[in-house]
Amino acid sequence: MESKAEIRKNMINHLKNFDLDEKKQQTRIILQNLTDSSNWQRTKTVGLYMATPMEFDLTTLFASDKRILIPKCLPKRQMMFAHYEPEHLTRSAFGLLEPDGLAEEVPDFILVPGLAWNGNGFRVGFGGGYYDRYLAKFDGATASVFYDFQAVEFSAETHDIAVQELFTT
């Protein structure tokens, strides 16, 4: 079984080389399944993430009727969510767009990013542990959306937090 570091490297390479037409097709199907889900239907405030070009494209979700929150990294590998306002974004040290100076809010539902997921909902993220730390104290619903090749078997570590729902093709 591959290590998390090997999985990270392989998935980043695969995502960067993923066929654009196939990516668009899978994205459309997966997002339709997500937005048809009962958790999505009943949530009022959703935590999304500002995807990089290689990550799962969430653009259409930002136009939903939900109150959209996005994460902001804090010192000591902590994070918070704040309201998404395009005019109040700043680029973080990681190169990600984050809310700038907005008050912390807690979402009802979080769409959790990552690079790979196993059948039990555990994920391999980018290695910072921000989401695992946040989710350890979070009581709401969680889900992830990912492409078919991102389903990989690996052993979870003690600090890993599984997401509750997985959406893929």
Side-chain angles (χ1 to χ4, degrees):
M1 199 173 300
E2 289 181 298
S3 70
K4 282 188 171 184
E6 291 169 322
I7 292 170
R8 254 183 222 104
K9 181 181 174 189
N10 290 338
M11 284 301 141
I12 288 170
N13 185 50
H14 203 142
L15 285 163
K16 285 181 176 178
N17 295 296
F18 191 27
D19 179 76
L20 188 57
D21 290 333
E22 179 65 19
K23 182 177 184 175
K24 286 178 182 178
Q25 181 180 346
Q26 284 195 38
T27 298
R28 184 181 47 76
I29 293 166
I30 294 165
L31 288 181
Q32 186 63 57
N33 291 337
L34 168 69
T35 57
D36 287 346
S37 73
S38 58
N39 272 336
W40 181 268
Q41 293 290 321
R42 75 174 153 255
T43 195
K44 292 178 177 51
T45 305
V46 63
L48 300 180
Y49 54 92
M50 302 296 291
T52 63
M54 75 170 178
E55 289 180 289
F56 198 99
D57 184 3
L58 302 179
T59 305
T60 60
L61 297 180
F62 282 83
S64 77
D65 61 350
K66 312 292 183 195
R67 182 165 177 82
I68 305 296
L69 308 180
I70 60 170
K72 178 177 179 70
C73 293
L74 301 171
K76 299 182 182 177
R77 296 188 178 214
Q78 300 296 312
M79 68 179 220
M80 60 169 260
F81 282 88
H83 186 239
Y84 168 72
E85 293 181 18
E87 64 278 4
H88 290 281
L89 297 175
T90 187
R91 200 156 299 276
S92 74
F94 298 111
L96 305 172
L97 288 174
E98 295 183 334
D100 184 21
L102 301 173
E104 181 173 6
E105 295 184 42
V106 178
D108 304 322
F109 179 84
I110 298 176
L111 208 54
V112 183
L115 291 167
W117 288 260
N118 71 17
N120 295 319
F122 290 99
R123 51 183 268 290
V124 174
F126 288 89
Y130 288 87
Y131 273 88
D132 286 324
R133 285 182 192 82
Y134 189 89
L135 295 176
K137 301 175 282 184
F138 179 68
D139 293 329
T142 59
S144 287
V145 290
F146 57 96
Y147 304 111
D148 56 4
F149 62 86
Q150 292 178 278
V152 178
E153 284 311 311
F154 60 89
S155 297
E157 296 174 3
T158 56
H159 62 272
D160 291 339
I161 306 291
V163 296
Q164 297 160 356
E165 280 188 283
L166 301 176
F167 294 91
T168 190
T169 53

